[in-house]
Amino acid sequence: MSFKIVDKSELNVDLRKSNQLLTEVTVASKDKLGLKLDVTEGTTAVVMIAIRKSSDVAVFEEVSIKNGQLEIAWMDLLQQWHDHSKFYADVFIKIEDQLFKPILDVEEKSRFLSEIAVNEENISKDQPVYLVYGTKGTTMTLAITKGTLYQMAAEKLRTSIQVTKFKMSKTGYRFELEISSDDELNIEPQKFAMIQRTTIENREIDYPVEISQKSAKEIILRGKIDKHGEWVPFNWDLYIEFTSDNWSLRGLLEVKKMLPLVALKVDQDQFKKKIDLPDSHIMYPYMTVAGNLAFTYRPLEAYETPKVLRTERWAVRYAKLMSPIYRRRNIWIGYEKNSFGAHDNGYHFFKYVYENNKHPEMYYVIRENSPENKNLDGMRDKTLKFMSWKYFVYLYSARLLVSSDSKFHVYNMQRRDSALAKALMRKKNVFLQHGVNGMKKVPVFHQSQGWLDFIIAPSQFEKDHITVPLWGYEANDVAVTGYARWDSYEDKTGSIPFKQIFVMPTWRNWMEGMSREKFVTTPFYHEYQNFLNSPELKEMLKESNTRIAFFLHPYFKDYVDLFDIDESVIDKYGYLEVDMGEEIQKSSLMISDYSSVLWDMYYLKKPTIFFQFDREAYLQDEGAYLDYDNDAFGDMTFTADETIIAIKKYIHNDFVEDDEIERLRPKYFNYVDKNNAKRIYQAISANEERLTELKEDITTRRIKKRVKAKVAKLPIVGKVAKKVSKPLKKFVRR
C-alpha cells in the first residue's frame, strides 16, 4: 500500500479539529495496522499519521473499509522513519468530509498494545522500536511512538532503576540496584549486559545477576563488574537483560540513575577507582554529563605518569591558594585538537590576538612533541607547554577558553572527574569550531549538554538552520563572523608543478577500538583500496599530470600503513605530517564523504566530490542536518568507479565547478574577506563580562536537583517528617 509524506500545511483538513471514533486495534505488527470501526459498509478512508512537533504527515489514500475492518500496510513507512530520533505520532482517519481521532476502549494500565521491531534479527540496544499505544487520559486516542529498544521497554513496562550501593576494589565493582514500578513488575532478570556505546558493532560482556529481594512492584539485584571479557575502548553502559510476558522483543533496561551517595563515590578521580588491566589499559566507572552511571576502558596516555599526576595535584593546590591573584589577571586559554595542533581556528585567532596585542593575558597550549610546535616560534612568551607546572596553574586559573574544539581537548579527553577537570567544567568556552556544520549531527554540541557557551558561526544560514533551532542556543549566544583560519586562505594551485586532488575520508565512530585485522575487512578499507589501486585512475592521473594527496583523519593513525599506495601518483599523509589548510589551498579538487573540510574547498571556489559508499550506515550512526541529495555542493558518488568518472569530468574541464554549485555559495557564506578573526574578537569583547563568569559546579548542581526531588516527595506526617525535611532543605539551599 502506497503512502506519501506531506507537510501539515498541505493538508486540506485541520488536524486540531477532529471528532472521536471508537476503535478496536485488531492487528499491530511490522507489516500492518488493522482497526475495527463502527462505520458504514463499503466506504473508503484516508489514514494520516502525524509526528508531533514536526510538519511530517504520512498519508495513506483510499483505504478500503470492509466488514468494519480497515488495514494499512505500513512496513515501508516504519523503515523510512528509522532515521528519526525518538518521536510521538498521532493517528487520524478521514471518512468523507469528517476527521476522526480513533478512541481505544482499554484500561490505562493496558494502553500499550504492541511493540514492533522492523528488523528482528540480532536486535541490538539501539534498534529502532515502535510502540502502538493509547494516549493517557480518560479518552485514549490511538498513537505510535518510536525510540530505541531499551527506551521503549522502559516506557511500556514503566520501570525505574537506580543504583543504591556501589563498592570498589582492585578486582572489580560490586553494586546493588533497585527496579521498581507503579504497576505489577512482571519481569524476570536474566543477566547484566555491559554493552559498548556504539550502534554498528554490537559488543557485549555478560555478568551473572543475583536476585536479593523480589515483590510485586520491586526487585533488588546484586552484581559484580570485573575485567573478564573482550573489552575495547572506550565507553560502555550497563543493562539488565530480562524476559517478560508483557514484552515480546529482546528485553533490555538501562542502568543509569544512582543515589546521591553512590554518585559521590563514583564521581572521584579515576586514578582512585581504576582497575589496572594488561597492556597498560585501565577500566573505571564514571558519571556522565547527565549524571548517569557508565564505564570506560582505555589505554593509559603517555603523559599519565606518576610524576605528571603529582605535578598536577600540587599545581592545582597552589593555584587554589593563589586564586585571588590569578583571577584578576583575566587569563584566556587557546588550543586545538588534543592540544596537538597549531593550524586551525584556535591557532589563527590566538595569532591575531598576539600580533595585534588585543589581550596580553591570552596563552596557547601545545604539546612539546607536536610537529606544529614550530608555528608558535616568535610567540613563546605566551605558549604553555602541555602538562607542565605553569600549564596546570594557568589552566586552573583561566577565566575563558577560546578554542576550535571542545574544552577537554586542552586537558585529557578521558579524564572528567579530577579537581582540574571539574574546574574546567565551570569555565565558559568560546567555540571557534573546527568546521562548518551540516554533514553530520553533533548532539554533544547541543546547548543541553552544557559544553559550549558562545558559538562562532561561519554563516547566517548555519545560525538560522542549525545552531539556534537544532542545537538550542539563544540568538545572542551565536556570532556570525566567519572562521579565523579563512583569513589566511588563498588559491595556491599555481605553487606546485602539477594538479593535486585532496582525498580525506572522515572517521566512523563504529570503528572505535577496532583491531588492524578487523579494519582490513571493513567496507571502508575495501572501497578505498579499490579506488586508490584502480589502474584506470592511475593512468588518468599520469596522463594529466595530476597527483592525489591521501590524508587520513587523526583517528586513522593506527591504520595508515595498511593502505597500498602507488607513490608515483599518490602521496599519503598521516595527521599533522603536512598542514591540511596549506594542502587544501594547493589542491584543485577535493574528495571526502562527510567531512567538514569540504566546506573549506567550497569557500575557495573549488570543486568537491562526496564519496558516500556507506551513507546508510553513517546516517544510522551519526545522522546529518543537511539533505545530502538536495543541499550538497558537489558531485555525489557511491562507488569507486563513480568517483573515478567524476574525477575524469573535472580533469577534462580544468577543475571548474558546475554552475549550479557556484550559485549556492552566497547561501552558505556571509563573509569572504580577511576580517574574520577581527569580528570574532569584537564579538567576544562585547560579551566578555558574562563569558568570564564561572558556572555552577556540575556535581553540586546534580546532587541539589536529586535531593530536592526527594524532599518534594517526602510525606508531611507530623513532627518526625518535618524534622527530616528541614535539614534536607537547608542542604539543598547551600
Side-chain angles (χ1 to χ4, degrees), residues 500-543:
Q500 179 168 280
I501 299 173
F502 194 91
V503 178
M504 193 188 115
T506 195
W507 175 247
R508 276 76 169 153
N509 284 339
W510 62 85
M511 292 182 180
E512 208 168 77
M514 187 176 287
S515 68
R516 288 162 61 87
E517 292 75 19
K518 181 68 180 294
F519 178 77
V520 297
T521 69
T522 62
F524 179 94
Y525 179 78
H526 287 300
E527 283 294 337
Y528 273 95
Q529 277 290 85
N530 291 339
F531 170 66
L532 296 170
N533 287 294
S534 164
E536 180 185 0
L537 175 66
K538 293 177 184 179
E539 182 180 356
M540 185 167 55
L541 294 174
K542 289 177 181 178
E543 289 179 352

Side-chain angles (χ1 to χ4, degrees), residues 623-649:
Y625 297 121
L626 299 182
D627 182 335
Y628 290 134
D629 292 324
N630 297 313
D631 298 325
F633 43 85
D635 295 59
M636 192 67 64
T637 64
F638 301 97
T639 66
D641 289 341
E642 290 177 0
T643 305
I644 292 168
I645 291 171
I647 292 172
K648 183 184 295 184
K649 177 187 76 171

Side-chain angles (χ1 to χ4, degrees), residues 369-571:
N369 62 339
S370 168
E372 294 188 337
N373 205 320
K374 62 182 184 296
N375 294 348
L376 279 303
D377 288 347
M379 297 181 283
R380 292 296 172 189
D381 57 319
K382 302 298 181 185
T383 302
L384 299 176
K385 177 184 170 184
F386 184 67
M387 294 290 159
S388 66
W389 171 275
K390 185 176 180 180
Y391 153 87
F392 286 127
V393 172
Y394 277 48
L395 188 56
Y396 185 88
S397 306
R399 293 183 64 178
L400 184 64
L401 306 174
V402 186
S403 63
S404 53
D405 292 273
S406 58
K407 61 179 61 178
F408 278 93
H409 281 272
V410 75
Y411 176 52
N412 183 329
M413 286 296 293
Q414 300 302 324
R415 198 164 175 218
R416 308 292 171 88
D417 37 28
S418 67
L420 182 51
K422 291 175 181 178
L424 281 176
M425 289 300 295
R426 300 190 65 191
K427 302 179 192 303
K428 293 182 179 177
N429 183 22
V430 174
F431 186 43
L432 301 174
Q433 301 208 64
H434 170 63
V436 181
N437 288 285
M439 301 300 181
K440 68 175 180 179
K441 292 183 178 179
V442 279
V444 71
F445 291 161
H446 291 188
Q447 191 276 338
S448 59
Q449 298 296 311
W451 291 110
L452 312 175
D453 302 284
F454 193 73
I455 313 294
I456 298 302
S459 67
Q460 194 67 37
F461 175 86
E462 181 172 306
K463 178 177 180 176
D464 292 344
H465 292 83
I466 298 175
T467 320
V468 172
L470 301 180
W471 288 10
Y473 290 91
E474 297 294 330
N476 63 354
D477 290 329
V478 184
V480 178
T481 64
Y483 286 159
R485 68 172 179 264
W486 290 347
D487 288 348
S488 66
Y489 272 19
E490 58 186 58
D491 183 3
K492 296 183 179 180
T493 53
S495 66
I496 52 178
F498 53 86
K499 295 294 186 181
Q500 179 168 280
I501 299 173
F502 194 91
V503 178
M504 193 188 115
T506 195
W507 175 247
R508 276 76 169 153
N509 284 339
W510 62 85
M511 292 182 180
E512 208 168 77
M514 187 176 287
S515 68
R516 288 162 61 87
E517 292 75 19
K518 181 68 180 294
F519 178 77
V520 297
T521 69
T522 62
F524 179 94
Y525 179 78
H526 287 300
E527 283 294 337
Y528 273 95
Q529 277 290 85
N530 291 339
F531 170 66
L532 296 170
N533 287 294
S534 164
E536 180 185 0
L537 175 66
K538 293 177 184 179
E539 182 180 356
M540 185 167 55
L541 294 174
K542 289 177 181 178
E543 289 179 352
S544 61
N545 188 31
T546 304
R547 297 183 65 82
I548 283 178
F550 185 47
F551 186 94
L552 283 173
H553 189 282
Y555 291 161
F556 281 117
K557 66 181 185 302
D558 294 332
Y559 314 114
V560 174
D561 63 299
L562 296 175
F563 291 92
D564 297 323
I565 299 297
D566 184 344
E567 295 182 356
S568 67
V569 289
I570 299 173
D571 301 304

